[in-house]
């Protein structure tokens, strides 16, 4: 075992320039912990929120929520993992941007042989997000219509495939014609270029014969929040699960009643996976989709760990498609 491992840390909140790489000690796992040598690390918008200070962290702090690799050692009381196991995680304490790390075993699941480390690192946090959006937030059945945005990133492309596999009509909203085509290729029924469409809600209503959709899943945030609400049918559910364009400003709750007794929620995956048994059930559902081929995780960008700042710049500019991984 190496005594230290290269780890990405921040000492202050700010832009990509605050990301630093340092050698940090790596010890033995304690009770309920596991040590993983990582083969691939996922990149997510929550990492940007934590780095920038949108989500405050106690500093200095390590970054990263998602990774995959091989278990090197387990601590006392760990029974679901053993040294040599392939493993992955999408959650738990930050610190995934590292060659080797020790973390709570409850946050880690075994990885089937059929799924590569890159697919797992790129897909587990995003895939678990899609799982809780479609399975655990509001009942959604075959034949229902969902508006999803942004639909061409890592979460969105998994959502397009998930919806197709379940017989759910997904209207994709993405930020360019190329991204719309990508969403359609991955299973969306229709696609809207929200940068070129002056009235997203009007287009949604045109596509739904004036009715609106049952559910909106919005990860864009500030720029699309009002249009997303206006796209819902009466009694519809707005799921605001991210803020790629910035936080949603304060909102008058009476706007929900005026639009037809709408429902609004701001869930987080971490609430759902706090129960280890629920996490394993969710992961099994996701891995089943991946092993069957119903969901294929698209890795379009790869950066070495020492180019983590470039990876953050690419993600923030929304110039990426699919998922992005860091390679230790």
């Amino acid at each position: 075992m190496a005594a230290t491992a290269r780890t990405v840390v921040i000492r202050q909140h700010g832009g990509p320039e605050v990301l630093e790489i340092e050698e940090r000690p790596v010890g033995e796992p304690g009770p309920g912990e596991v040590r993983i040598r990582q083969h691939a690390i996922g990149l997510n918008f929550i990492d940007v929120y934590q780095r920038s200070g949108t989500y405050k962290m106690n500093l200095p702090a390590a970054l990263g929520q998602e990774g995959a690799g091989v278990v090197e050692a387990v601590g006392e009381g760990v029974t679901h993992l053993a040294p040599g196991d392939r493993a992955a995680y999408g959650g738990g304490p930050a610190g995934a941007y590292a060659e080797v790390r020790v973390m709570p075993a409850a946050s880690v699941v075994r990885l089937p042989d059929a799924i590569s480390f890159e697919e797992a690192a790129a897909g587990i946090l995003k895939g678990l997000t899609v799982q809780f959006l479609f399975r655990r937030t509001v009942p959604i059945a075959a034949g229902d219509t969902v508006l999803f945005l942004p639909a061409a990133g890592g979460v969105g492309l998994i959502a397009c495939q998930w919806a197709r596999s379940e017989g759910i009509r997904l209207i994709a909203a993405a930020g360019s014609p190329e991204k719309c085509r990508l969403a359609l290729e991955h299973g969306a029924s229709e696609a809207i270029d929200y940068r070129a469409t002056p009235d997203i809600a009007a287009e949604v209503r045109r596509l739904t014969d004036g009715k609106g959709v049952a559910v909106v899943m919005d990860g864009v945030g500030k720029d699309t929040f009002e249009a997303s609400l206006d796209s819902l049918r009466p009694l519809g559910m707005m799921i605001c699960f991210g803020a790629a364009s910035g936080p949603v400003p304060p909102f008058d709750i009476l706007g929900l009643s005026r639009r037809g007794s709408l429902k609004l929620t701001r869930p987080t995956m971490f609430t759902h996976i706090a129960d280890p048994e629920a996490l394993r059930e969710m992961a099994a559902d996701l891995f089943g989709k991946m092993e069957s081929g119903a969901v294929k995780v698209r890795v379009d960008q790869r950066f070495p760990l020492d180019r983590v700042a470039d990876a953050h710049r690419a993600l923030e500019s929304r110039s990426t498609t699919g998922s992005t991984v860091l390679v230790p």
Side-chain angles (χ1 to χ4, degrees):
M1 182 200 83
T4 62
R6 289 191 309 153
T7 304
V8 176
V9 299
I10 58 170
R11 291 182 170 79
Q12 60 183 334
H13 293 297
E17 69 280 358
V18 304
L19 297 163
E20 302 177 22
I21 296 180
E22 66 178 37
E23 292 282 344
R24 283 199 162 188
V26 180
E28 294 297 323
E33 293 183 329
V34 61
R35 187 175 72 236
I36 300 177
R37 179 164 294 277
Q38 306 204 115
H39 289 234
I41 300 157
L43 193 71
N44 296 279
F45 250 99
I46 188 172
D47 309 341
V48 173
Y49 301 153
Q50 290 178 336
R51 187 213 71 218
S52 67
T54 300
Y55 295 170
K56 298 296 183 183
M57 304 181 76
N58 294 324
L59 302 176
L63 288 185
Q65 301 284 340
E66 182 179 40
V70 175
V71 175
E72 288 191 334
V74 301
E76 180 183 352
V78 177
T79 58
H80 70 290
L81 295 166
D85 282 350
R86 304 173 79 248
Y89 60 91
Y97 291 6
E99 295 172 315
V100 183
R101 70 174 303 197
V102 172
M103 64 180 297
S107 301
V108 183
V109 296
R110 291 187 66 180
L111 179 65
D113 291 341
I115 300 173
S116 73
F117 292 121
E118 283 198 0
E119 289 172 327
I124 186 168
L125 189 148
K126 303 170 188 68
L128 291 175
T129 298
V130 172
Q131 201 276 350
F132 86 72
L133 288 173
F134 280 87
R135 290 270 201 258
R136 298 168 62 89
T137 306
V138 62
I140 304 173
D144 286 343
T145 302
V146 170
L147 172 65
F148 195 101
L149 58 169
V155 175
L157 293 183
I158 293 173
C160 290
Q161 296 172 82
W162 194 290
R164 177 173 58 188
S165 75
E166 300 280 322
I168 296 164
R169 180 189 180 192
L170 186 144
I171 300 174
S176 70
E178 294 75 20
K179 290 185 176 184
C180 285
R181 282 195 292 271
L182 196 57
L184 292 169
E185 290 169 4
H186 282 75
S189 299
E190 294 92 7
I192 300 168
D193 180 351
Y194 61 73
R195 293 188 188 279
T197 302
D199 191 336
I200 298 170
E203 180 63 9
V204 169
R205 293 192 177 278
R206 185 187 71 80
L207 293 170
T208 57
D209 298 324
K211 298 175 183 176
V213 298
V215 179
V216 175
M217 301 174 181
D218 188 327
V220 176
K222 174 174 64 69
D223 289 354
T224 58
F225 181 74
E226 294 283 345
S228 290
L229 286 176
D230 289 337
S231 298
L232 284 165
R233 71 186 188 193
L235 305 178
M237 168 67 84
M238 167 72 162
I239 307 173
C240 187
F241 70 93
S245 66
V248 174
F251 172 71
D252 179 3
I253 197 169
L254 287 176
L256 301 178
S257 64
R258 289 193 294 268
R259 289 175 168 94
S261 301
L262 303 182
K263 298 177 282 288
L264 170 65
T265 183
R266 178 54 171 97
T268 168
M269 185 197 72
F270 302 107
T271 308
H272 290 277
I273 67 171
D275 176 0
E277 189 60 36
L279 166 61
R280 290 169 204 168
E281 290 176 3
M282 293 168 66
D285 192 13
L286 170 63
F287 291 158
K289 293 278 191 188
M290 293 173 69
E291 288 181 289
S292 73
V295 168
K296 296 179 180 178
V297 176
R298 180 175 173 134
V299 181
D300 285 350
Q301 296 82 213
R302 294 169 178 84
F303 292 85
L305 189 62
D306 59 8
R307 288 186 55 205
V308 61
D310 290 338
H312 271 234
R313 291 185 185 100
L315 187 65
E316 284 185 282
S317 70
R318 286 188 264 175
S319 62
T320 62
T321 56
S323 297
T324 303
V325 296
L326 300 172
V327 182

PDB file of all heavy atoms in Angstrom, residues 26 169 248 262:
ATOM      1  N   VAL A  26      -2.644   7.971   3.366  1.00  0.00           N
ATOM      2  CA  VAL A  26      -3.711   6.983   3.236  1.00  0.00           C
ATOM      3  C   VAL A  26      -3.456   5.897   4.278  1.00  0.00           C
ATOM      4  O   VAL A  26      -2.460   5.187   4.207  1.00  0.00           O
ATOM      5  CB  VAL A  26      -3.756   6.349   1.833  1.00  0.00           C
ATOM      6  CG1 VAL A  26      -4.897   5.324   1.754  1.00  0.00           C
ATOM      7  CG2 VAL A  26      -3.921   7.414   0.765  1.00  0.00           C
ATOM      8  N   ARG A 169     -43.001   8.412 -22.162  1.00  0.00           N
ATOM      9  CA  ARG A 169     -42.714   9.424 -23.183  1.00  0.00           C
ATOM     10  C   ARG A 169     -41.903  10.542 -22.552  1.00  0.00           C
ATOM     11  O   ARG A 169     -42.378  11.222 -21.641  1.00  0.00           O
ATOM     12  CB  ARG A 169     -44.015   9.974 -23.759  1.00  0.00           C
ATOM     13  CG  ARG A 169     -43.819  11.047 -24.833  1.00  0.00           C
ATOM     14  CD  ARG A 169     -45.152  11.675 -25.180  1.00  0.00           C
ATOM     15  NE  ARG A 169     -45.027  12.703 -26.209  1.00  0.00           N
ATOM     16  CZ  ARG A 169     -45.989  13.559 -26.534  1.00  0.00           C
ATOM     17  NH1 ARG A 169     -47.170  13.498 -25.909  1.00  0.00           N
ATOM     18  NH2 ARG A 169     -45.797  14.476 -27.472  1.00  0.00           N
ATOM     19  N   VAL A 248     -32.339  28.767  -8.164  1.00  0.00           N
ATOM     20  CA  VAL A 248     -33.652  29.366  -8.436  1.00  0.00           C
ATOM     21  C   VAL A 248     -33.890  30.496  -7.434  1.00  0.00           C
ATOM     22  O   VAL A 248     -33.705  30.316  -6.234  1.00  0.00           O
ATOM     23  CB  VAL A 248     -34.760  28.301  -8.309  1.00  0.00           C
ATOM     24  CG1 VAL A 248     -36.133  28.942  -8.444  1.00  0.00           C
ATOM     25  CG2 VAL A 248     -34.555  27.204  -9.355  1.00  0.00           C
ATOM     26  N   LEU A 262     -50.197  22.804  -8.462  1.00  0.00           N
ATOM     27  CA  LEU A 262     -48.994  22.022  -8.769  1.00  0.00           C
ATOM     28  C   LEU A 262     -48.276  21.597  -7.504  1.00  0.00           C
ATOM     29  O   LEU A 262     -48.435  22.190  -6.441  1.00  0.00           O
ATOM     30  CB  LEU A 262     -48.042  22.852  -9.638  1.00  0.00           C
ATOM     31  CG  LEU A 262     -48.607  23.392 -10.950  1.00  0.00           C
ATOM     32  CD1 LEU A 262     -47.516  24.155 -11.700  1.00  0.00           C
ATOM     33  CD2 LEU A 262     -49.173  22.269 -11.813  1.00  0.00           C
TER      34      LEU A 262
END
